[in-house]
């Protein structure tokens, strides 16, 4: 660490946490209360009136939903908390994915009436993928149908988590008025006169003592499983203090063996202070974590300890285009320190860059700071070449940290500028949006010269088009959304491809023998080189792989990308003079397209995991809609007073589904969906789709 640079909070007093949930569980309301109760803000921001600090985008305030993850920092009990509020809508799940990659803990929010909902499960699995410890908060305990214990059972049953209450509610629905703290052994009531800023602790009400004793005994029993001292005291029947129980719960939460559960009503300012306490008491600090691993030179595994005196390493997890300062790169520092004005090495891109200003973010507001230390999160200005997932480090001691996986876009549309003169501005704006969002892609249709944008759903594309109009002042025209199909093969094929061109001067020569095989996963691409004896020089092998990749970007069946193929280069030949990288690249591309059409080409469509929530009296007609859309029901169950139906349905059949559901249920049924996988289109349907695609292509040309 450089002389004169000091961190404000020691690593043990730092928490990096996120809030994740299904849409409408109350994430932003909880975040706003945290900011208010910690003194970060001085008024209560509300989602319903467009005053929420964390939902700062115009579209978020107008729609009452979170679209982009927002970062802020506050202090509670002498601890600095970096908080990221993530979206609940499935179209913006990329924000959850990249946030969880760099967080040390998370709050999983559940609606007391809704329980475990589809996106609740999705974000829970995302947190499991990155081994992020979680605590749960059952919100909206004042809502009709609130059932705290039912939600606890659902977390255990549907998510497989060891959910253990650390508080229990006093009342529910209209009678909800406080909580019983099982750790401290007291009842907590929040003042209505000062919006919950103050509270009083009283003895547990007499009528709740049996429940208190039962649930506290269960809590102690679960906590003692990870603490030998507590275990001995528990079975000896000795009194266990709140401090002992807190220490054991922290250990168990960090290990992932327990998920502490709290409850409250953020809107009524009940229980949020106890949640803040739980962040500090149970979730890990950066120094609790093991060394971060990455890939060093030559593919070796390298480690960096979470220590300010270690060599600097940081991960870029988010990119934002700011109208005032330009490109903002959000980073998490895993070791060492990142100073303003320092030169850093982007090991992913193999380039040096200068970190200009460093900012501590508060939603769309910012504060200049001198440096980011181990475990801290901030934004950097000046990293023009850095993208989401890139590693920043020291050139003399490089490594590449593990990045993130992002979902495949499933919906596309054509976009064009209202004025021809805006074509370059549109291209620049789309490039910036694609830089921000790894699930948003931009491509050019070479036949029609159309610009094709692709994303995760109708809402995702709608928001992006709105941003083009508002942020970039572009008048744009769009086509109707269309499904992003994929192509694959079904049978192995071997091909012998030659490229021989002689047009005066130096010619072009390349010869490859290649085998294509379908991958069982119907996903990705694999390339294998089996050439022996130097029949193709080693320097041309990468060109063959690039040529195949070129052809796969636009398949031969219906011009959609190809997936699920293994290409094996078996043999070939070359010419001492006429062979080149370009010749082998072109030969491989043409050979792949020819082989593809002989390998049983097949059209694939995105299959969506759809969850429909409907009053029971409409469950029959709703089930009928599933079957009419080439779908299949995977499960049915009850949630509160509603029927929950889960099904797999092709995306192509889901346009206008929301309107259809509203019509058959008098507006009472709703649905959510997420991408599940690509599946073959049935032959009779494929024939119709291919004819439509070919007709559309002829019309445009």
């Amino acid at each position: 660490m450089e002389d004169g640079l000091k961190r404000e909070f020691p690593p043990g007093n730092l928490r990096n946490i996120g809030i994740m949930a299904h849409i409408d569980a109350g994430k932003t309301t909880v975040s706003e209360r945290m900011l208010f109760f910690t003194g970060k803000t001085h008024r209560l921001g509300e989602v319903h009136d467009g005053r929420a600090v964390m939902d700062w985008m115009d579209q978020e305030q107008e729609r009452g939903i979170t679209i982009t993850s927002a970062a802020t920092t506050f202090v509670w009990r002498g601890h600095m908390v970096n908080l990221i509020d993530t979206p609940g809508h499935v179209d913006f799940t990329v924000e959850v994915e990249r946030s969880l990659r760099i967080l040390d803990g998370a709050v999983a929010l559940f609606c007391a009436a809704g329980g475990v909902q589809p996106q609740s499960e999705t974000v829970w699995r995302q947190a499991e993928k990155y081994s992020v410890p979680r605590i749960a908060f059952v919100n909206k305990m004042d809502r009709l149908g609130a059932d705290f214990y039912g939600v606890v059972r659902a977390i255990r049953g549907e998510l497989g988590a060891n959910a253990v209450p650390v508080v229990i509610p006093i009342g529910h629905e209209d009678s909800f008025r406080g909580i019983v703290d099982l750790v401290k052994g007291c009842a907590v009531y929040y003042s209505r006169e000062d919006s919950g800023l103050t509270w009083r602790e009283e003895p547990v009400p007499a009528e709740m003592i049996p429940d208190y004793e039962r649930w506290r005994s269960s809590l102690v029993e679960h906590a003692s499983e990870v603490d030998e001292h507590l275990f001995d005291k528990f079975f000896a029947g000795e009194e266990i203090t709140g401090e002992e129980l807190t220490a054991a719960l922290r250990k168990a939460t960090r290990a992932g063996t327990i998920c502490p559960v709290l409850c409250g009503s953020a809107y009524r300012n009940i229980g949020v202070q106890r949640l803040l306490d739980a962040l500090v008491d149970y979730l890990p600090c950066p120094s609790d974590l093991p060394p971060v691993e990455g890939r060093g030179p030559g593919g070796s595994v390298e480690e960096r300890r979470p220590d300010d005196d270690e060599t600097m390493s940081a991960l870029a997890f988010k990119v934002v285009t700011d109208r005032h300062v330009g490109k903002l790169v959000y980073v998490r520092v895993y070791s060492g320190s990142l100073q303003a004005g320092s030169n850093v090495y982007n090991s992913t891109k193999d380039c040096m860059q200068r970190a200009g200003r460093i900012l501590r973010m508060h939603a769309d507001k910012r504060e200049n700071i001198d440096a980011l230390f181990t475990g801290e999160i901030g934004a950097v200005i000046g990293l023009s070449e850095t993208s989401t997932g890139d590693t920043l480090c020291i050139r003399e001691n490089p490594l590449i940290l593990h990045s993130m996986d992002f979902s495949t876009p499933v919906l596309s549309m054509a976009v064009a500028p209202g004025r021809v003169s805006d074509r370059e501005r549109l291209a620049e704006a789309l490039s910036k949006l694609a830089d921000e969002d790894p699930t948003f892609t931009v491509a050019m249709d070479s036949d029609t010269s159309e610009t094709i944008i692709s994303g995760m759903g109708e809402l995702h594309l709608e928001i992006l088009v709105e941003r083009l109009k508002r942020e970039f002042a572009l008048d744009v025209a769009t086509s109707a959304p269309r499904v992003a199909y994929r192509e694959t093969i079904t049978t192995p094929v071997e091909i012998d491809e030659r490229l021989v061109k002689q047009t005066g001067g130096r010619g072009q020569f390349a010869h490859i023998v290649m085998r294509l095989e379908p991958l069982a996963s119907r996903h990705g691409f694999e390339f294998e080189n089996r050439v022996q004896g130097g029949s193709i020089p080693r320097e041309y092998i990468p060109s063959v792989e690039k040529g195949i990749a070129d052809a796969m970007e636009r398949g031969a069946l219906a011009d959609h990308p190809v997936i699920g193929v293994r290409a094996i280069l078996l043999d070939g030949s070359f010419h001492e003079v006429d062979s080149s990288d370009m010749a082998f690249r072109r030969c491989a591309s043409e050979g792949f397209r020819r082989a593809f059409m002989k390998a049983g080409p097949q059209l694939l469509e995105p299959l969506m995991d759809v969850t429909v929530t409907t009053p029971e009296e409409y469950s029959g007609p709703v089930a009928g809609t599933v079957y009419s859309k080439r779908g299949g029901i995977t499960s049915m169950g009850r949630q509160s007073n509603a029927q929950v139906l889960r099904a797999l349905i092709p995306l192509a059949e889901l346009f206008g589904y929301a309107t259809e559901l509203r019509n058959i249920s008098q507006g009472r049924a709703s649905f959510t969906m997420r991408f599940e996988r690509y599946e073959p289109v049935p032959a009779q349907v494929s024939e119709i789709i291919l004819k439509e695609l070919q007709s559309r292509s002829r019309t445009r040309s």
Side-chain angles (χ1 to χ4, degrees):
M1 198 186 319
E2 288 186 9
D3 293 339
L5 286 177
K6 289 178 130 180
R7 64 186 305 153
E8 189 176 357
F9 293 85
N13 287 29
L14 181 62
R15 300 290 185 272
N16 296 315
I17 63 108
I19 300 182
M20 60 185 199
H22 187 86
I23 192 170
D24 290 334
K27 293 182 308 302
T28 300
T29 303
V30 170
S31 300
E32 296 293 325
R33 289 331 188 247
M34 287 181 171
L35 297 178
F36 180 70
F37 294 138
T38 59
K40 188 73 177 186
T41 59
H42 301 288
R43 67 170 177 83
L44 290 171
E46 304 290 2
V47 175
H48 64 267
D49 63 9
R51 295 194 303 161
V53 175
M54 300 298 279
D55 285 348
W56 58 270
M57 292 176 65
D58 292 340
Q59 295 95 323
E60 293 177 316
Q61 295 176 356
E62 292 166 4
R63 297 167 183 267
I65 62 171
T66 302
I67 293 169
T68 183
S69 57
T72 190
T73 303
F74 56 76
V75 177
W76 182 255
R77 285 174 37 195
H79 291 69
M80 184 171 78
V81 179
N82 288 311
L83 171 72
I84 296 180
D85 177 23
T86 64
H89 197 286
V90 67
D91 280 15
F92 309 105
T93 192
V94 63
E95 297 287 342
V96 184
E97 181 82 17
R98 58 183 168 192
S99 297
L100 287 170
R101 167 64 182 84
I102 55 90
L103 292 173
D104 303 330
V107 177
L109 219 62
F110 300 91
C111 173
V116 176
Q117 297 170 283
Q119 189 66 357
S120 312
E121 184 177 348
T122 299
V123 297
W124 189 272
R125 303 304 178 207
Q126 286 173 301
E128 283 188 333
K129 181 170 83 174
Y130 295 113
S131 302
V132 178
R134 281 139 282 170
I135 58 178
F137 185 76
V138 181
N139 192 29
K140 302 188 179 184
M141 281 299 304
D142 57 329
R143 184 173 167 181
L144 185 67
D147 181 0
F148 173 76
Y149 302 105
V151 177
V152 172
R153 288 192 298 272
I155 295 172
R156 291 172 176 173
E158 297 179 38
L159 301 180
N162 187 17
V164 181
V166 294
V167 306
I168 56 175
I170 303 175
H172 69 289
E173 299 180 345
D174 288 341
S175 66
F176 179 64
R177 59 190 187 279
I179 59 174
V180 172
D181 189 324
L182 300 176
V183 178
K184 288 189 173 183
C186 63
V188 187
Y189 301 93
Y190 294 83
S191 170
R192 293 192 177 185
E193 284 72 28
D194 62 4
S195 301
L197 268 174
T198 59
W199 63 92
R200 67 184 191 277
E201 296 181 356
E202 295 183 1
V204 178
E207 68 273 15
M208 290 194 67
I209 286 178
D211 285 339
Y212 162 72
E213 290 177 343
R214 177 164 62 89
W215 285 104
R216 193 176 197 274
S217 178
S218 173
L219 175 62
V220 173
E221 184 177 353
H222 281 94
S224 65
E225 293 175 1
V226 297
D227 190 304
E228 290 185 9
H229 174 67
L230 205 67
F231 182 85
D232 292 339
K233 290 190 70 173
F234 175 69
F235 278 95
E238 299 177 23
E239 182 65 25
I240 293 170
T241 67
E243 290 77 12
E244 290 173 319
L245 191 50
T246 297
L249 284 168
R250 177 174 174 81
K251 186 177 179 182
T253 306
R254 285 165 46 195
T257 59
I258 281 180
C259 174
V261 185
L262 300 95
C263 68
S265 168
Y267 185 68
R268 288 177 56 186
N269 308 307
I270 299 176
V272 178
Q273 290 95 332
R274 275 317 197 257
L275 176 60
L276 286 164
D277 286 339
L279 303 183
V280 170
D281 290 338
Y282 306 141
L283 292 177
C285 62
S287 53
D288 290 329
L289 304 178
V292 66
E293 287 188 351
R295 189 176 73 253
S300 61
V301 177
E302 301 281 341
E303 289 186 346
R304 296 284 190 275
R305 293 178 294 106
D307 192 311
D308 290 338
D309 294 323
E310 260 277 21
T311 304
M312 192 276 290
S313 64
L315 184 70
F317 67 94
K318 181 180 171 83
V319 173
V320 173
T321 301
D322 186 280
R323 67 184 71 182
H324 303 293
V325 299
K327 185 173 181 176
L328 282 176
V329 178
Y330 285 72
V331 301
R332 154 74 188 258
V333 178
Y334 282 94
S335 62
S337 59
L338 175 61
Q339 287 97 40
S342 63
N343 292 317
V344 297
Y345 177 56
N346 184 323
S347 54
T348 309
K349 299 277 189 2
D350 187 22
C351 65
M352 294 295 298
Q353 293 190 269
R354 186 175 182 275
R357 293 161 57 196
I358 297 180
L359 310 172
R360 183 163 287 149
M361 302 300 295
H362 177 49
D364 62 334
K365 307 295 190 299
R366 58 191 72 84
E367 170 194 354
N368 283 294
I369 56 176
D370 294 326
L372 290 171
F373 299 96
T374 298
E376 294 187 340
I377 295 170
V380 185
I381 298 173
L383 304 177
S384 59
E385 300 300 317
T386 297
S387 305
T388 299
D390 288 359
T391 299
L392 304 175
C393 57
I394 305 300
R395 186 160 207 155
E396 292 73 27
N397 196 3
L399 86 164
I400 297 177
L401 298 171
H402 301 304
S403 187
M404 306 144 240
D405 299 317
F406 299 115
S407 300
T408 305
V410 295
L411 212 60
S412 302
M413 65 168 58
V415 60
R419 298 187 296 270
V420 176
S421 58
D422 285 341
R423 186 168 294 170
E424 287 187 12
R425 287 181 58 224
L426 175 62
E428 183 181 352
L430 290 172
S431 177
K432 288 179 178 178
L433 292 177
D435 198 23
E436 290 185 13
D437 186 350
T439 61
F440 173 64
T441 62
V442 183
M444 181 67 70
D445 188 317
S446 58
D447 287 343
T448 64
S449 298
E450 286 184 317
T451 300
I452 307 297
I453 61 174
S454 303
M456 299 305 299
E458 290 181 90
L459 180 61
H460 187 200
L461 293 177
E462 184 183 326
I463 293 293
L464 288 164
V465 171
E466 279 188 22
R467 291 186 63 189
L468 288 173
K469 295 175 180 179
R470 295 189 185 195
E471 296 176 28
F472 299 94
L474 284 164
D475 179 24
V476 294
T478 60
S479 68
R482 50 186 186 248
V483 176
Y485 293 99
R486 294 291 184 268
E487 300 177 22
T488 194
I489 60 174
T490 58
T491 58
V493 68
E494 194 169 306
I495 192 166
D496 190 315
E497 184 75 12
R498 289 176 184 268
L499 174 69
V500 184
K501 299 285 184 183
Q502 194 70 48
T503 54
R506 183 176 174 179
Q508 294 184 57
F509 180 88
H511 172 217
I512 62 170
V513 180
M514 177 171 61
R515 179 178 173 86
L516 301 185
E517 297 176 352
L519 291 172
S521 64
R522 298 196 191 99
H523 182 73
F525 165 62
E526 295 179 7
F527 176 78
E528 186 179 345
N529 174 30
R530 292 185 188 174
V531 173
Q532 297 180 346
S535 57
I536 299 177
R538 294 183 63 86
E539 61 264 29
Y540 294 145
I541 303 299
S543 299
V544 174
E545 185 174 359
K546 288 176 183 175
I548 295 170
D550 292 341
M552 290 181 66
E553 287 181 5
R554 188 171 176 181
L557 187 62
D559 295 340
H560 290 284
V562 176
I563 60 173
V565 174
R566 176 187 290 111
I568 306 168
L569 183 60
L570 301 170
D571 201 3
S573 60
F574 73 105
H575 189 278
E576 290 284 356
V577 177
D578 293 342
S579 290
S580 64
D581 287 324
M582 185 55 67
F584 272 96
R585 185 168 179 171
R586 184 177 171 186
C587 180
S589 182
E590 293 176 359
F592 179 89
R593 291 180 67 86
R594 197 160 62 85
F596 181 87
M597 295 305 295
K598 296 180 177 181
Q602 188 176 56
L603 194 66
L604 302 175
E605 63 182 346
L607 197 65
M608 311 303 287
D609 184 350
V610 179
T611 301
V612 183
T613 304
T614 177
E616 192 162 4
E617 60 262 38
Y618 302 110
S619 59
V622 167
T625 66
V626 172
Y627 297 120
S628 71
K629 297 182 180 303
R630 299 192 285 119
I633 295 173
T634 56
S635 69
M636 294 185 72
R638 291 194 62 80
Q639 188 178 87
S640 189
N641 58 350
Q643 190 81 19
V644 179
L645 180 151
R646 199 159 181 177
L648 292 174
I649 305 175
L651 176 61
E653 304 289 338
L654 289 169
F655 293 105
Y657 191 44
T659 302
E660 185 177 350
L661 278 181
R662 283 196 296 269
N663 290 339
I664 65 173
S665 67
Q666 298 184 359
R668 297 169 65 190
S670 61
F671 84 103
T672 62
M673 66 178 181
R674 64 175 179 84
F675 171 72
E676 179 66 20
R677 61 181 181 270
Y678 274 96
E679 282 287 312
V681 180
Q684 65 274 20
V685 179
S686 178
E687 188 176 341
I688 296 170
I689 292 172
L690 288 172
K691 283 182 180 178
E692 288 177 352
L693 292 172
Q694 290 162 4
S695 174
R696 188 189 302 157
S697 179
R698 285 194 299 270
T699 301
R700 290 187 307 225
S701 59

